[in-house]
Amino acid sequence: MEITANNLHKALIKKSYKTPVVVQFHAPWCGPCRMLKPVLEKVHKQSKKKWTLAFADVKAEPLLGKKFNIFTIPEVKLVKDGEVIASFSGFKSDFIIKNWLASNLKKTKDTPLSPIISQLKNNEIEQAKSSILALAIQENPTSDYLKLLMALQQLESSNANAMQWLQKIGKGGDTNALIKSIRDLIDIDQEDKNPTTPTSSPYTIEPEKATAKIHIATFDFALLSNLVHTGINEIRRRKGAAALSPDTILTQAAVDQNNYQIRTDQLTHYQDNPLKKTVRERVDSFGGQFRMVGENVQFKGFPVRTWSTGNEREIITPTYVDAATDLIKNWVNSPGHYKNLINAKYRFVGTAVGWNPENSAVFSTQVFGA
């Protein structure tokens, strides 16, 4: 069964109330996706169809990928009673898939806490908090303070949802001042997000500079680093992970590795320097005392057009925003890098970008610490 945006409710959401649905998100160009499909079909047949197997093409149906937060493929999600209760990424053997299904389809008596348990299993902390608050309001529907708490909980993800909860609070009483304070926060946030507001932008920098094309002679590496840092924190927010704070030592380690890659024109996590071979040794060499560290590296080439004389060439550059978006997408689409990027244990990061004129490419390095 193929899931599309048009049949989503009937074929997946509604059906999942009768029988659990396993959905593989795939794309035509994805080799591991093609390998995983027959394995799932085999496991499905052996299960005597106790659950439904479905597929969703994220290339043909990009809205499905966005709705289900698909950042890498193949990804498999288990949907029950209209909710995603478990998921895994990448190719897995039939043995692993059977154990995964067995552990997530145990016959348990559904309670109002069941969706919350599923959210916690999927590390959806913010969603779980909201669900618990909603249960508390059901237990005590007259409590304006619980509704205020729900409005504050929704504030970070949706101003509209926060306003809906405020509107459920009766007028009058001693909550009016609190309601006004929350509405003021919503107004300020909406003003900050308004692209016509001349004093602000999503990156706390001049909007016209962020959307300008990169000029190699005046490359603003700090600007690009800032955009990458901000974009990655946005992805972490969506996954319920805390924002990463910039750290001086981690930044020094990132710059050091980035410069090494530019100097040697190679993408690597290692160095020839015996004191800086690994990311751990590099961080320690700058005085770091982190319990755990991780590193993401990559490069992005810019198209080059050579004039007919062969003596001059033009480097075709994107805008700073586009370049940052591409760098982030490349990390998101790489399972190992993505794992570092959303790891909730990491609290600090150092970001470095640099230009290699030899191959007309930007090298970028991030070092994470906890």
Side-chain angles (χ1 to χ4, degrees), residues 52-324:
T52 300
L53 179 60
F55 300 91
D57 185 340
V58 293
K59 182 179 180 182
E61 300 286 340
L63 290 178
L64 290 182
K66 184 175 181 181
K67 179 177 178 62
F68 286 92
N69 296 320
I70 304 301
F71 294 105
T72 183
I73 53 173
E75 179 153 343
V76 176
K77 292 187 180 289
L78 178 58
V79 182
K80 185 175 183 293
D81 296 333
E83 299 285 340
V84 175
I85 64 171
S87 64
F88 70 80
S89 300
F91 177 81
K92 298 288 186 292
S93 68
D94 56 348
F95 176 78
I96 293 175
I97 293 172
K98 287 176 183 177
N99 286 338
W100 175 76
L101 285 166
S103 63
N104 288 290
L105 291 178
K106 289 179 181 177
K107 291 184 178 180
T108 57
K109 183 180 178 181
D110 285 340
T111 70
L113 296 178
S114 296
I116 302 173
I117 294 171
S118 298
Q119 289 167 342
L120 291 174
K121 284 183 178 178
N122 291 321
N123 200 30
E124 297 170 349
I125 307 301
E126 294 304 315
Q127 294 92 322
K129 288 180 183 178
S130 297
S131 298
I132 292 172
L133 277 175
L135 279 179
I137 291 171
Q138 289 178 19
E139 292 289 326
N140 187 5
T142 61
S143 173
D144 287 343
Y145 291 108
L146 283 175
K147 293 170 186 175
L148 281 168
L149 191 56
M150 180 62 91
L152 285 171
Q153 179 70 25
Q154 295 292 318
L155 193 59
E156 290 187 3
S157 59
S158 171
N159 289 332
N161 288 344
M163 284 297 296
Q164 286 179 3
W165 281 103
L166 292 179
Q167 290 165 0
K168 293 179 182 181
I169 301 173
K171 295 182 179 179
D174 55 2
T175 60
N176 280 351
L178 283 172
I179 293 172
K180 182 181 183 304
S181 297
I182 296 174
R183 281 179 170 165
D184 287 344
L185 289 174
I186 292 174
D187 289 340
I188 292 170
D189 186 57
Q190 289 177 331
E191 183 69 14
D192 283 344
K193 292 177 179 176
N194 186 348
T196 64
T197 303
T199 58
S200 67
S201 79
Y203 307 105
T204 63
I205 53 174
E206 300 88 348
E208 64 276 9
K209 191 169 184 181
T211 56
K213 278 189 170 293
I214 296 171
H215 292 287
I216 302 304
T218 57
F219 205 132
D220 191 337
F221 297 113
L223 170 58
L224 185 53
S225 294
N226 189 9
L227 293 175
V228 170
H229 176 86
T230 304
I232 282 176
N233 271 341
E234 172 59 20
I235 291 173
R236 287 175 64 87
R237 184 190 67 79
R238 293 177 200 162
K239 299 298 290 185
L244 295 167
S245 300
D247 180 84
T248 302
I249 288 176
L250 296 179
T251 299
Q252 287 177 305
V255 170
D256 186 77
Q257 181 63 14
N258 213 53
N259 288 341
Y260 177 84
Q261 292 178 103
I262 292 171
R263 188 169 65 252
T264 60
D265 192 22
Q266 61 175 320
L267 195 65
T268 179
H269 289 287
Y270 300 95
Q271 289 191 24
D272 292 333
N273 188 328
L275 300 179
K276 297 181 180 180
K277 283 186 176 181
T278 66
V279 61
R280 163 62 70 183
E281 291 172 338
R282 288 191 289 277
V283 171
D284 290 348
S285 73
F286 288 105
Q289 296 181 345
F290 293 92
R291 179 173 52 86
M292 58 182 290
V293 294
E295 184 179 68
N296 285 351
V297 299
Q298 69 161 300
F299 75 93
K300 170 183 169 54
F302 290 163
V304 175
R305 180 167 58 195
T306 304
W307 300 117
S308 57
T309 59
N311 296 325
E312 297 184 28
R313 65 178 187 169
E314 176 190 20
I315 298 171
I316 304 168
T317 61
T319 66
Y320 282 95
V321 170
D322 290 339

Side-chain angles (χ1 to χ4, degrees), residues 1-21 23 25 52 54-56 61 63-64 67-68 79-83:
M1 178 175 60
E2 194 72 23
I3 304 295
T4 66
N6 291 331
N7 70 3
L8 174 64
H9 181 76
K10 182 179 180 181
L12 178 57
I13 305 302
K14 190 175 180 180
K15 193 173 187 66
S16 72
Y17 283 91
K18 296 180 180 179
T19 176
V21 181
V23 188
F25 293 86
T52 300
F55 300 91
E61 300 286 340
L63 290 178
L64 290 182
K67 179 177 178 62
F68 286 92
V79 182
K80 185 175 183 293
D81 296 333
E83 299 285 340

